[in-house]
Amino acid sequence: MGIKEKFLETIKKYDMVRIKDKIIIGLSGGPDSVCLLDLFCSIREEFQLEIFAAHLNHCFRGRESDEDEEFAKSLCEKYNVKFFSKRVNVPEIIEKTGLSPEDAARRVRYDFLFGLKEKLNADKIAVGHNMNDHEETVLMNIFRGTGTEGLIGIEPKRGCLIRPLIEIERTNIEDYLKKHNIPYRIDSTNLKTEYYRNKIRLELIPYIKQKFCPHFSDAVKRLSDIVALDVSFIESIIENIYPSMVTEGKNYIKLYIKTFEKQPPGARYRILRKVIENILGELKDIEFKHIKALDEFIIEQSPGKMVELPRGICGEKGYEEFYFYRKGQIKDFSYVLNIPGEIYIDEIGKKISAELMERTTNFKLEATPLKVFVDYGKIRGNLIVRNRRPGDRFFPFGLKFSKKLQDFFVDQKIPSFERNLVPIVENEGEIVWVGGFRLDDRFKINDNTTKILILEIQ
Protein backbone atom coordinates (compact mmCIF):
# COMPACT_ATOMS: atom_id res chain seq x y z
CA MET A 1 0.00 0.00 0.00
CA GLY A 2 1.38 3.41 -0.99
CA ILE A 3 1.69 6.36 1.37
CA LYS A 4 -1.28 8.23 -0.05
CA GLU A 5 -3.49 5.15 0.30
CA LYS A 6 -2.30 4.67 3.90
CA PHE A 7 -2.87 8.37 4.58
CA LEU A 8 -6.45 8.14 3.30
CA GLU A 9 -7.03 4.90 5.18
CA THR A 10 -5.88 6.51 8.46
CA ILE A 11 -8.07 9.57 7.89
CA LYS A 12 -11.09 7.33 7.34
CA LYS A 13 -10.25 4.90 10.16
CA TYR A 14 -10.09 7.63 12.82
CA ASP A 15 -12.66 9.99 11.23
CA MET A 16 -10.08 12.77 11.01
CA VAL A 17 -11.40 14.86 8.14
CA ARG A 18 -14.83 15.96 6.98
CA ILE A 19 -15.91 17.61 3.74
CA LYS A 20 -15.22 21.40 3.74
CA ASP A 21 -13.01 21.26 6.84
CA LYS A 22 -10.63 24.11 7.57
CA ILE A 23 -7.30 22.48 8.43
CA ILE A 24 -4.15 24.03 9.87
CA ILE A 25 -0.97 22.06 9.11
CA GLY A 26 1.94 22.41 11.50
CA LEU A 27 4.76 22.97 8.99
CA SER A 28 8.28 22.80 10.40
CA GLY A 29 9.85 22.22 6.98
CA GLY A 30 11.06 18.73 7.92
CA PRO A 31 10.15 15.61 5.90
CA ASP A 32 7.09 14.65 7.96
CA SER A 33 5.35 18.03 7.81
CA VAL A 34 6.27 18.58 4.14
CA CYS A 35 4.83 15.16 3.27
CA LEU A 36 1.70 16.02 5.24
CA LEU A 37 1.29 19.29 3.35
CA ASP A 38 1.71 17.57 -0.01
CA LEU A 39 -0.80 14.82 0.82
CA PHE A 40 -3.43 17.25 2.05
CA CYS A 41 -3.01 19.41 -1.03
CA SER A 42 -3.49 16.30 -3.18
CA ILE A 43 -6.97 15.77 -1.70
CA ARG A 44 -7.87 19.44 -1.30
CA GLU A 45 -10.33 19.59 -4.20
CA GLU A 46 -11.87 16.16 -3.54
CA PHE A 47 -12.65 17.04 0.09
CA GLN A 48 -13.23 20.76 -0.61
CA LEU A 49 -10.71 21.63 2.10
CA GLU A 50 -9.42 25.03 3.12
CA ILE A 51 -5.79 24.53 4.08
CA PHE A 52 -3.49 26.78 6.11
CA ALA A 53 0.12 26.23 7.18
CA ALA A 54 1.64 27.38 10.47
CA HIS A 55 5.38 27.59 11.15
CA LEU A 56 6.93 28.39 14.52
CA ASN A 57 10.50 29.66 14.51
CA HIS A 58 11.90 28.45 17.86
CA CYS A 59 15.13 30.47 17.43
CA PHE A 60 17.16 27.43 18.49
CA ARG A 61 19.65 27.45 15.59
CA GLY A 62 20.12 31.06 14.55
CA ARG A 63 20.34 31.49 10.77
CA GLU A 64 19.39 27.86 10.22
CA SER A 65 16.04 28.44 11.97
CA ASP A 66 15.43 31.53 9.82
CA GLU A 67 16.16 29.51 6.70
CA ASP A 68 13.59 26.90 7.82
CA GLU A 69 11.00 29.66 8.09
CA GLU A 70 11.89 31.05 4.65
CA PHE A 71 11.73 27.56 3.14
CA ALA A 72 8.30 26.87 4.67
CA LYS A 73 6.95 30.18 3.37
CA SER A 74 8.31 29.51 -0.13
CA LEU A 75 6.84 26.00 -0.12
CA CYS A 76 3.39 27.34 0.77
CA GLU A 77 3.57 29.80 -2.11
CA LYS A 78 4.25 26.85 -4.42
CA TYR A 79 1.26 24.92 -3.05
CA ASN A 80 -0.95 28.02 -2.92
CA VAL A 81 -1.51 27.63 0.81
CA LYS A 82 -1.91 30.59 3.17
CA PHE A 83 1.11 30.76 5.46
CA PHE A 84 1.35 31.94 9.09
CA SER A 85 4.54 32.15 11.14
CA LYS A 86 5.67 33.27 14.56
CA ARG A 87 9.08 33.76 16.17
CA VAL A 88 9.53 32.78 19.83
CA ASN A 89 12.85 32.76 21.64
CA VAL A 90 12.47 29.32 23.22
CA PRO A 91 16.05 29.24 24.65
CA GLU A 92 15.08 32.26 26.80
CA ILE A 93 11.95 30.45 27.99
CA ILE A 94 14.04 27.39 28.88
CA GLU A 95 16.41 29.56 30.91
CA LYS A 96 13.55 31.23 32.79
CA THR A 97 11.40 28.14 33.43
CA GLY A 98 13.87 25.27 33.65
CA LEU A 99 11.83 23.24 31.14
CA SER A 100 13.58 20.77 28.86
CA PRO A 101 14.14 21.99 25.27
CA GLU A 102 11.64 19.44 23.95
CA ASP A 103 8.94 20.34 26.51
CA ALA A 104 9.38 24.10 26.12
CA ALA A 105 9.23 23.86 22.32
CA ARG A 106 6.16 21.65 22.46
CA ARG A 107 4.25 24.01 24.76
CA VAL A 108 5.08 27.09 22.68
CA ARG A 109 4.24 25.29 19.43
CA TYR A 110 0.82 24.10 20.57
CA ASP A 111 -0.02 27.49 22.10
CA PHE A 112 0.66 28.98 18.66
CA LEU A 113 -1.34 26.33 16.78
CA PHE A 114 -4.39 26.46 19.04
CA GLY A 115 -4.33 30.25 19.13
CA LEU A 116 -4.31 30.29 15.32
CA LYS A 117 -7.16 27.79 15.24
CA GLU A 118 -9.31 30.20 17.25
CA LYS A 119 -8.31 33.13 15.06
CA LEU A 120 -9.13 31.30 11.81
CA ASN A 121 -12.10 29.37 13.22
CA ALA A 122 -10.44 26.22 11.86
CA ASP A 123 -11.81 22.71 12.38
CA LYS A 124 -8.61 20.65 12.70
CA ILE A 125 -4.90 20.96 13.42
CA ALA A 126 -2.80 18.37 11.58
CA VAL A 127 0.72 17.51 12.74
CA GLY A 128 3.25 15.16 11.21
CA HIS A 129 3.94 12.55 13.88
CA ASN A 130 4.75 9.19 12.32
CA MET A 131 4.95 5.57 13.48
CA ASN A 132 8.55 5.98 14.67
CA ASP A 133 7.65 9.00 16.79
CA HIS A 134 4.96 6.81 18.35
CA GLU A 135 7.33 3.98 19.29
CA GLU A 136 9.89 6.46 20.70
CA THR A 137 7.15 7.97 22.87
CA VAL A 138 6.04 4.58 24.18
CA LEU A 139 9.62 3.70 25.16
CA MET A 140 10.15 7.08 26.84
CA ASN A 141 6.92 6.60 28.80
CA ILE A 142 7.99 3.13 29.93
CA PHE A 143 11.31 4.49 31.17
CA ARG A 144 9.45 7.16 33.15
CA GLY A 145 7.31 4.50 34.84
CA THR A 146 4.13 5.11 32.91
CA GLY A 147 0.64 3.93 33.74
CA THR A 148 -1.57 2.16 31.24
CA GLU A 149 -2.35 5.31 29.24
CA GLY A 150 1.35 5.88 28.55
CA LEU A 151 1.49 2.63 26.57
CA ILE A 152 -1.02 4.08 24.10
CA GLY A 153 1.72 6.48 22.99
CA ILE A 154 0.76 9.22 20.55
CA GLU A 155 -2.96 9.12 19.83
CA PRO A 156 -3.99 9.35 16.16
CA LYS A 157 -6.71 11.83 17.07
CA ARG A 158 -7.37 13.88 20.18
CA GLY A 159 -10.12 16.44 19.88
CA CYS A 160 -9.30 18.71 16.96
CA LEU A 161 -5.68 17.50 16.79
CA ILE A 162 -5.09 14.88 14.08
CA ARG A 163 -2.01 12.85 13.05
CA PRO A 164 -2.67 11.28 9.62
CA LEU A 165 0.92 9.91 9.28
CA ILE A 166 0.92 8.05 12.60
CA GLU A 167 0.76 4.62 10.92
CA ILE A 168 3.49 5.38 8.34
CA GLU A 169 7.21 4.79 9.02
CA ARG A 170 9.73 7.59 8.65
CA THR A 171 11.73 5.80 5.93
CA ASN A 172 8.60 5.47 3.79
CA ILE A 173 7.94 9.19 4.15
CA GLU A 174 11.48 10.07 3.05
CA ASP A 175 11.24 7.63 0.11
CA TYR A 176 7.97 9.29 -0.98
CA LEU A 177 9.54 12.75 -0.96
CA LYS A 178 12.59 11.59 -2.92
CA LYS A 179 10.43 9.76 -5.48
CA HIS A 180 8.36 12.89 -6.13
CA ASN A 181 11.38 15.22 -5.96
CA ILE A 182 9.88 17.22 -3.07
CA PRO A 183 12.47 19.24 -1.08
CA TYR A 184 12.56 19.41 2.73
CA ARG A 185 14.76 20.68 5.53
CA ILE A 186 16.85 18.68 7.99
CA ASP A 187 16.97 19.90 11.59
CA SER A 188 20.60 19.43 12.64
CA THR A 189 19.60 19.04 16.30
CA ASN A 190 17.79 15.80 15.38
CA LEU A 191 21.23 14.22 14.82
CA LYS A 192 22.59 15.12 18.26
CA THR A 193 22.42 12.27 20.77
CA GLU A 194 22.64 14.55 23.83
CA TYR A 195 18.87 14.94 23.48
CA TYR A 196 17.00 12.13 25.23
CA ARG A 197 14.56 11.36 22.40
CA ASN A 198 17.35 11.44 19.81
CA LYS A 199 19.39 8.93 21.80
CA ILE A 200 16.42 6.56 21.82
CA ARG A 201 15.81 7.11 18.08
CA LEU A 202 19.41 6.90 16.89
CA GLU A 203 20.92 4.37 19.30
CA LEU A 204 18.44 2.30 21.30
CA ILE A 205 15.73 1.44 18.76
CA PRO A 206 18.19 0.41 15.99
CA TYR A 207 19.95 -1.81 18.56
CA ILE A 208 16.64 -3.42 19.63
CA LYS A 209 15.68 -4.06 15.99
CA GLN A 210 19.08 -5.50 15.18
CA LYS A 211 19.61 -7.66 18.25
CA PHE A 212 16.17 -8.54 19.60
CA CYS A 213 13.09 -7.64 17.56
CA PRO A 214 13.28 -6.78 13.84
CA HIS A 215 9.53 -6.14 13.81
CA PHE A 216 9.72 -3.78 16.80
CA SER A 217 7.58 -1.04 15.19
CA ASP A 218 4.72 -3.43 14.48
CA ALA A 219 4.99 -4.96 17.96
CA VAL A 220 4.74 -1.56 19.66
CA LYS A 221 1.80 -0.60 17.45
CA ARG A 222 0.01 -3.84 18.37
CA LEU A 223 0.68 -3.25 22.09
CA SER A 224 -0.73 0.29 21.86
CA ASP A 225 -3.84 -0.86 20.00
CA ILE A 226 -4.58 -3.55 22.62
CA VAL A 227 -4.00 -1.16 25.52
CA ALA A 228 -6.19 1.51 23.89
CA LEU A 229 -9.08 -0.97 23.79
CA ASP A 230 -8.60 -1.87 27.45
CA VAL A 231 -8.34 1.77 28.52
CA SER A 232 -11.48 2.61 26.55
CA PHE A 233 -13.36 -0.16 28.37
CA ILE A 234 -12.10 0.97 31.80
CA GLU A 235 -12.98 4.59 31.06
CA SER A 236 -16.53 3.59 30.12
CA ILE A 237 -16.92 2.00 33.56
CA ILE A 238 -15.51 5.09 35.27
CA GLU A 239 -17.87 7.31 33.26
CA ASN A 240 -20.81 5.30 34.59
CA ILE A 241 -19.84 5.45 38.28
CA TYR A 242 -18.36 8.98 38.27
CA PRO A 243 -21.71 10.85 38.57
CA SER A 244 -22.61 8.91 41.71
CA MET A 245 -19.44 10.10 43.43
CA VAL A 246 -19.09 13.75 42.49
CA THR A 247 -20.95 16.99 42.00
CA GLU A 248 -19.31 19.53 39.71
CA GLY A 249 -19.94 23.10 40.81
CA LYS A 250 -19.09 26.38 39.13
CA ASN A 251 -15.55 26.60 40.52
CA TYR A 252 -15.11 23.34 42.36
CA ILE A 253 -15.76 19.60 42.36
CA LYS A 254 -17.22 17.87 45.40
CA LEU A 255 -16.39 14.19 46.02
CA TYR A 256 -18.60 12.07 48.29
CA ILE A 257 -16.18 10.33 50.60
CA LYS A 258 -18.26 7.33 51.77
CA THR A 259 -19.16 6.29 48.22
CA PHE A 260 -15.57 6.86 47.11
CA GLU A 261 -14.10 4.73 49.90
CA LYS A 262 -16.12 1.70 48.81
CA GLN A 263 -14.37 1.56 45.44
CA PRO A 264 -11.25 -0.57 44.81
CA PRO A 265 -7.97 1.38 44.63
CA GLY A 266 -7.77 1.19 40.82
CA ALA A 267 -11.19 2.79 40.44
CA ARG A 268 -10.43 5.42 43.10
CA TYR A 269 -7.22 6.46 41.35
CA ARG A 270 -9.03 6.85 38.03
CA ILE A 271 -11.82 8.86 39.66
CA LEU A 272 -9.22 11.24 41.10
CA ARG A 273 -7.46 11.53 37.74
CA LYS A 274 -10.76 12.40 36.10
CA VAL A 275 -11.57 15.01 38.75
CA ILE A 276 -8.23 16.74 38.26
CA GLU A 277 -8.46 16.51 34.48
CA ASN A 278 -11.91 18.11 34.57
CA ILE A 279 -10.51 21.01 36.60
CA LEU A 280 -7.28 21.55 34.63
CA GLY A 281 -8.37 20.30 31.22
CA GLU A 282 -5.38 17.93 31.16
CA LEU A 283 -3.13 15.87 33.45
CA LYS A 284 0.20 17.48 32.65
CA ASP A 285 2.56 17.36 35.70
CA ILE A 286 0.13 15.11 37.63
CA GLU A 287 1.96 11.87 38.41
CA PHE A 288 1.05 8.55 40.00
CA LYS A 289 2.70 9.61 43.26
CA HIS A 290 0.35 12.60 43.48
CA ILE A 291 -2.75 10.48 42.89
CA LYS A 292 -1.63 7.83 45.41
CA ALA A 293 -0.87 10.44 48.09
CA LEU A 294 -4.18 12.18 47.44
CA ASP A 295 -6.11 8.92 47.77
CA GLU A 296 -4.43 8.21 51.12
CA PHE A 297 -5.11 11.77 52.28
CA ILE A 298 -8.84 11.56 51.50
CA ILE A 299 -9.26 8.26 53.32
CA GLU A 300 -6.97 8.78 56.31
CA GLN A 301 -6.99 12.48 57.22
CA SER A 302 -9.47 14.14 59.54
CA PRO A 303 -12.03 16.78 58.44
CA GLY A 304 -10.65 20.28 57.97
CA LYS A 305 -7.28 19.15 56.62
CA MET A 306 -6.07 20.65 53.34
CA VAL A 307 -3.63 19.51 50.65
CA GLU A 308 -2.01 21.15 47.62
CA LEU A 309 -1.17 19.46 44.32
CA PRO A 310 0.85 20.74 41.35
CA ARG A 311 -0.53 23.56 39.18
CA GLY A 312 -2.54 25.19 41.95
CA ILE A 313 -4.96 22.34 42.63
CA CYS A 314 -6.16 22.42 46.25
CA GLY A 315 -8.14 19.85 48.22
CA GLU A 316 -10.01 20.13 51.49
CA LYS A 317 -11.58 17.32 53.47
CA GLY A 318 -14.99 17.97 54.94
CA TYR A 319 -17.08 15.67 57.11
CA GLU A 320 -18.75 13.81 54.26
CA GLU A 321 -17.33 15.49 51.14
CA PHE A 322 -13.91 16.31 49.75
CA TYR A 323 -13.57 19.57 47.79
CA PHE A 324 -11.26 20.16 44.83
CA TYR A 325 -10.61 23.66 43.50
CA ARG A 326 -7.91 25.86 42.03
CA LYS A 327 -6.12 28.24 44.35
CA GLY A 328 -7.65 31.71 44.19
CA GLN A 329 -10.63 30.47 42.18
CA ILE A 330 -13.32 31.69 44.61
CA LYS A 331 -13.21 35.43 44.98
CA ASP A 332 -15.27 37.83 47.11
CA PHE A 333 -18.53 38.87 45.48
CA SER A 334 -21.24 41.42 46.17
CA TYR A 335 -24.46 42.02 44.22
CA VAL A 336 -27.44 44.33 44.63
CA LEU A 337 -30.75 42.41 44.72
CA ASN A 338 -33.70 44.57 43.75
CA ILE A 339 -37.08 43.92 45.35
CA PRO A 340 -38.74 42.42 43.43
CA GLY A 341 -35.99 41.03 41.20
CA GLU A 342 -33.40 38.32 40.76
CA ILE A 343 -29.64 38.03 40.24
CA TYR A 344 -27.30 35.32 39.01
CA ILE A 345 -24.15 34.91 41.09
CA ASP A 346 -21.54 33.80 38.59
CA GLU A 347 -18.93 32.95 41.26
CA ILE A 348 -21.09 30.18 42.73
CA GLY A 349 -23.37 29.39 39.80
CA LYS A 350 -26.63 30.14 41.62
CA LYS A 351 -29.59 32.46 41.18
CA ILE A 352 -31.35 34.30 44.02
CA SER A 353 -34.79 35.85 43.60
CA ALA A 354 -36.82 38.27 45.68
CA GLU A 355 -40.61 38.32 45.38
CA LEU A 356 -43.26 40.30 47.25
CA MET A 357 -46.74 39.20 48.24
CA GLU A 358 -49.51 40.39 50.52
CA ARG A 359 -50.19 38.30 53.59
CA THR A 360 -53.61 36.65 53.61
CA THR A 361 -55.46 34.72 56.33
CA ASN A 362 -55.16 31.43 54.49
CA PHE A 363 -51.49 31.86 53.63
CA LYS A 364 -49.35 28.80 54.48
CA LEU A 365 -45.63 29.04 55.13
CA GLU A 366 -43.65 26.30 53.40
CA ALA A 367 -40.09 27.35 54.06
CA THR A 368 -37.12 25.18 53.02
CA PRO A 369 -33.34 25.67 53.32
CA LEU A 370 -33.49 27.27 49.87
CA LYS A 371 -36.64 29.32 50.38
CA VAL A 372 -37.46 31.66 53.28
CA PHE A 373 -40.16 34.19 54.17
CA VAL A 374 -39.14 37.59 55.49
CA ASP A 375 -41.14 40.38 57.14
CA TYR A 376 -40.85 43.01 54.39
CA GLY A 377 -41.78 45.77 56.82
CA LYS A 378 -38.34 45.38 58.42
CA ILE A 379 -36.44 45.83 55.13
CA ARG A 380 -35.05 49.20 54.10
CA GLY A 381 -34.29 49.65 50.40
CA ASN A 382 -32.71 46.88 48.34
CA LEU A 383 -30.68 43.91 49.51
CA ILE A 384 -27.00 43.04 49.15
CA VAL A 385 -25.98 39.46 48.36
CA ARG A 386 -22.34 38.62 49.14
CA ASN A 387 -20.17 35.92 50.58
CA ARG A 388 -18.86 35.92 54.13
CA ARG A 389 -16.69 38.67 55.63
CA PRO A 390 -14.55 38.73 58.79
CA GLY A 391 -16.58 39.62 61.88
CA ASP A 392 -19.98 38.62 60.46
CA ARG A 393 -22.61 37.99 63.16
CA PHE A 394 -26.34 37.26 63.02
CA PHE A 395 -29.25 36.04 65.14
CA PRO A 396 -29.96 32.45 64.01
CA PHE A 397 -33.70 31.77 63.71
CA GLY A 398 -35.12 30.73 67.07
CA LEU A 399 -32.35 32.38 69.12
CA LYS A 400 -32.48 35.73 70.94
CA PHE A 401 -28.74 36.26 70.98
CA SER A 402 -26.24 36.84 68.19
CA LYS A 403 -23.66 34.36 67.03
CA LYS A 404 -20.51 34.66 64.97
CA LEU A 405 -21.12 33.37 61.47
CA GLN A 406 -17.81 31.49 61.75
CA ASP A 407 -19.07 29.62 64.85
CA PHE A 408 -22.38 28.88 63.16
CA PHE A 409 -20.56 27.31 60.20
CA VAL A 410 -18.45 25.20 62.56
CA ASP A 411 -21.54 24.01 64.43
CA GLN A 412 -23.16 23.10 61.10
CA LYS A 413 -20.00 21.18 60.10
CA ILE A 414 -19.64 23.20 56.90
CA PRO A 415 -16.13 22.83 55.40
CA SER A 416 -14.21 26.09 55.16
CA PHE A 417 -14.18 25.98 51.35
CA GLU A 418 -17.96 25.67 51.15
CA ARG A 419 -18.34 28.61 53.52
CA ASN A 420 -17.02 30.87 50.75
CA LEU A 421 -19.86 29.68 48.49
CA VAL A 422 -22.70 30.50 50.87
CA PRO A 423 -24.65 33.58 49.74
CA ILE A 424 -25.22 36.02 52.58
CA VAL A 425 -28.23 38.34 52.16
CA GLU A 426 -27.88 41.58 54.12
CA ASN A 427 -29.86 44.78 54.54
CA GLU A 428 -28.21 47.97 55.77
CA GLY A 429 -25.34 46.04 57.33
CA GLU A 430 -27.50 43.37 59.03
CA ILE A 431 -27.62 39.77 57.88
CA VAL A 432 -31.12 38.78 56.82
CA TRP A 433 -30.44 35.25 55.64
CA VAL A 434 -27.52 32.85 55.55
CA GLY A 435 -28.59 31.45 52.19
CA GLY A 436 -29.42 27.77 52.25
CA PHE A 437 -29.07 27.51 56.03
CA ARG A 438 -30.79 29.92 58.44
CA LEU A 439 -32.98 33.04 58.50
CA ASP A 440 -32.03 35.80 60.92
CA ASP A 441 -34.55 35.79 63.80
CA ARG A 442 -34.95 39.59 63.64
CA PHE A 443 -36.52 39.37 60.17
CA LYS A 444 -38.99 36.55 60.78
CA ILE A 445 -42.70 36.94 60.13
CA ASN A 446 -44.89 37.79 63.13
CA ASP A 447 -48.53 38.67 63.78
CA ASN A 448 -47.96 42.25 62.65
CA THR A 449 -46.52 41.29 59.25
CA THR A 450 -48.63 42.58 56.35
CA LYS A 451 -46.29 42.10 53.40
CA ILE A 452 -43.99 39.12 52.87
CA LEU A 453 -40.68 39.02 51.06
CA ILE A 454 -39.91 35.60 49.58
CA LEU A 455 -36.22 34.86 49.07
CA GLU A 456 -35.26 31.78 47.08
CA ILE A 457 -32.04 30.17 45.81
CA GLN A 458 -32.19 28.30 42.53
Side-chain angles (χ1 to χ4, degrees):
M1 182 184 292
I3 276 191
K4 184 172 180 179
E5 290 74 21
K6 190 65 177 177
F7 167 77
L8 289 169
E9 180 187 84
T10 304
I11 283 175
K12 182 178 179 181
K13 180 179 177 181
Y14 298 105
D15 189 26
M16 292 181 174
V17 176
R18 303 283 177 89
I19 300 295
K20 296 185 178 180
D21 266 353
K22 290 183 178 180
I23 299 177
I24 297 172
I25 297 173
L27 182 65
S28 67
D32 300 330
S33 64
V34 169
C35 181
L36 190 64
L37 176 66
D38 182 80
L39 290 170
F40 265 114
C41 287
S42 73
I43 66 168
R44 175 164 43 185
E45 290 186 9
E46 178 186 353
F47 283 79
Q48 303 173 50
L49 302 176
E50 190 172 355
I51 297 175
F52 308 92
H55 177 89
L56 184 71
N57 186 336
H58 299 91
C59 301
F60 271 125
R61 296 171 286 116
R63 180 58 191 163
E64 192 177 336
S65 292
D66 296 339
E67 290 172 353
D68 288 347
E69 183 177 351
E70 292 166 8
F71 169 81
K73 182 179 180 181
S74 175
L75 192 67
C76 287
E77 291 174 356
K78 175 183 174 182
Y79 281 98
N80 193 26
V81 168
K82 193 167 184 180
F83 177 75
F84 296 86
S85 64
K86 183 177 181 180
R87 296 171 61 88
V88 178
N89 194 326
V90 177
E92 279 188 6
I93 293 175
I94 293 169
E95 187 174 342
K96 291 178 182 178
T97 63
L99 294 169
S100 70
E102 183 183 49
D103 196 17
R106 181 187 65 83
R107 294 189 185 197
V108 170
R109 182 167 60 252
Y110 282 115
D111 283 346
F112 171 50
L113 290 172
F114 280 95
L116 188 59
K117 176 185 178 295
E118 292 300 314
K119 178 182 176 181
L120 298 175
N121 194 27
D123 300 292
K124 307 285 170 52
I125 297 172
V127 290
H129 292 111
N130 59 47
M131 183 182 286
N132 302 97
D133 294 317
H134 171 264
E135 65 194 30
E136 293 159 12
T137 299
V138 171
L139 276 180
M140 291 171 68
N141 289 343
I142 290 173
F143 296 154
R144 291 171 180 149
T146 185
T148 314
E149 281 80 0
L151 298 177
I152 296 175
I154 301 176
E155 296 178 278
K157 178 182 178 183
R158 187 173 183 85
C160 66
L161 193 65
I162 59 174
R163 299 179 172 95
L165 304 183
I166 198 65
E167 297 187 350
I168 301 173
E169 292 202 49
R170 185 176 293 116
T171 54
N172 293 334
I173 291 170
E174 292 171 353
D175 289 343
Y176 173 84
L177 295 175
K178 289 176 184 177
K179 179 181 177 180
H180 293 84
N181 197 29
I182 301 172
Y184 57 87
R185 299 281 294 175
I186 295 295
D187 185 342
S188 60
T189 61
N190 288 338
L191 305 176
K192 297 179 179 180
T193 56
E194 58 259 38
Y195 294 111
Y196 184 52
R197 180 180 284 273
N198 289 356
K199 189 179 289 288
I200 289 175
R201 175 190 301 138
L202 300 173
E203 296 180 356
L204 179 58
I205 291 179
Y207 184 77
I208 291 174
K209 289 182 176 180
Q210 180 184 359
K211 298 292 185 180
F212 297 97
C213 184
H215 55 280
F216 179 71
S217 297
D218 292 333
V220 173
K221 177 66 169 56
R222 188 166 57 252
L223 168 66
S224 295
D225 288 345
I226 293 169
V227 171
L229 290 173
D230 289 344
V231 168
S232 177
F233 172 69
I234 294 169
E235 287 180 346
S236 69
I237 295 174
I238 298 301
E239 286 288 342
N240 286 333
I241 65 175
Y242 183 80
S244 67
M245 271 179 265
V246 304
T247 294
E248 297 195 357
K250 176 72 176 179
N251 295 303
Y252 66 95
I253 293 181
K254 179 165 59 176
L255 176 76
Y256 301 105
I257 296 173
K258 289 184 179 179
T259 308
F260 177 76
E261 288 177 335
K262 294 176 182 177
Q263 302 299 319
R268 295 202 305 267
Y269 287 14
R270 286 187 174 274
I271 290 291
L272 295 178
R273 281 168 55 88
K274 184 172 177 61
V275 166
I276 294 173
E277 185 174 21
N278 286 356
I279 293 175
L280 294 178
E282 61 176 1
L283 287 167
K284 183 69 177 174
D285 300 328
I286 304 299
E287 302 176 13
F288 175 77
K289 64 181 181 182
H290 300 129
I291 300 297
K292 184 174 183 293
L294 180 58
D295 178 71
E296 292 172 353
F297 186 94
I298 292 171
I299 292 175
E300 297 174 5
Q301 290 296 326
S302 56
K305 297 291 185 179
M306 303 179 70
V307 65
E308 288 194 20
L309 295 171
R311 299 183 59 185
I313 291 286
C314 298
E316 180 185 337
K317 186 169 183 178
Y319 294 91
E320 297 182 355
E321 298 91 11
F322 191 91
Y323 292 84
F324 296 87
Y325 55 96
R326 297 185 78 165
K327 186 181 291 185
Q329 191 78 14
I330 302 297
K331 303 183 184 302
D332 287 344
F333 60 84
S334 180
Y335 294 84
V336 175
L337 176 59
N338 295 324
I339 304 174
E342 64 179 32
I343 54 169
Y344 180 77
I345 305 173
D346 188 62
E347 289 82 354
I348 62 176
K350 293 179 180 178
K351 182 170 72 174
I352 295 186
S353 62
E355 180 184 351
L356 282 176
M357 67 175 295
E358 297 293 333
R359 183 174 184 176
T360 60
T361 55
N362 60 352
F363 176 75
K364 293 183 179 180
L365 296 177
E366 296 180 357
T368 70
L370 300 178
K371 183 178 183 180
V372 294
F373 301 90
V374 177
D375 185 342
Y376 181 63
K378 299 173 182 176
I379 300 297
R380 300 290 179 267
N382 292 317
L383 302 171
I384 299 295
V385 182
R386 58 171 175 79
N387 52 356
R388 61 174 177 160
R389 301 288 187 269
D392 275 342
R393 302 184 72 94
F394 80 120
F395 289 73
F397 185 83
L399 297 181
K400 300 303 178 184
F401 53 86
S402 69
K403 191 169 192 174
K404 287 183 180 179
L405 185 60
Q406 168 73 14
D407 293 340
F408 174 78
F409 282 150
V410 171
D411 292 345
Q412 297 294 313
K413 297 184 177 180
I414 302 171
S416 60
F417 171 75
E418 191 171 344
R419 297 170 196 173
N420 295 320
L421 305 175
V422 176
I424 307 297
V425 180
E426 74 168 34
N427 183 239
E428 293 193 337
E430 294 183 334
I431 291 178
V432 176
W433 181 33
V434 179
F437 290 95
R438 196 72 60 86
L439 178 71
D440 188 291
D441 195 76
R442 294 168 295 178
F443 294 89
K444 68 183 178 182
I445 293 172
N446 56 38
D447 293 339
N448 297 321
T449 301
T450 58
K451 188 172 288 190
I452 296 173
L453 170 64
I454 304 172
L455 299 176
E456 185 172 10
I457 297 175
Q458 298 173 355

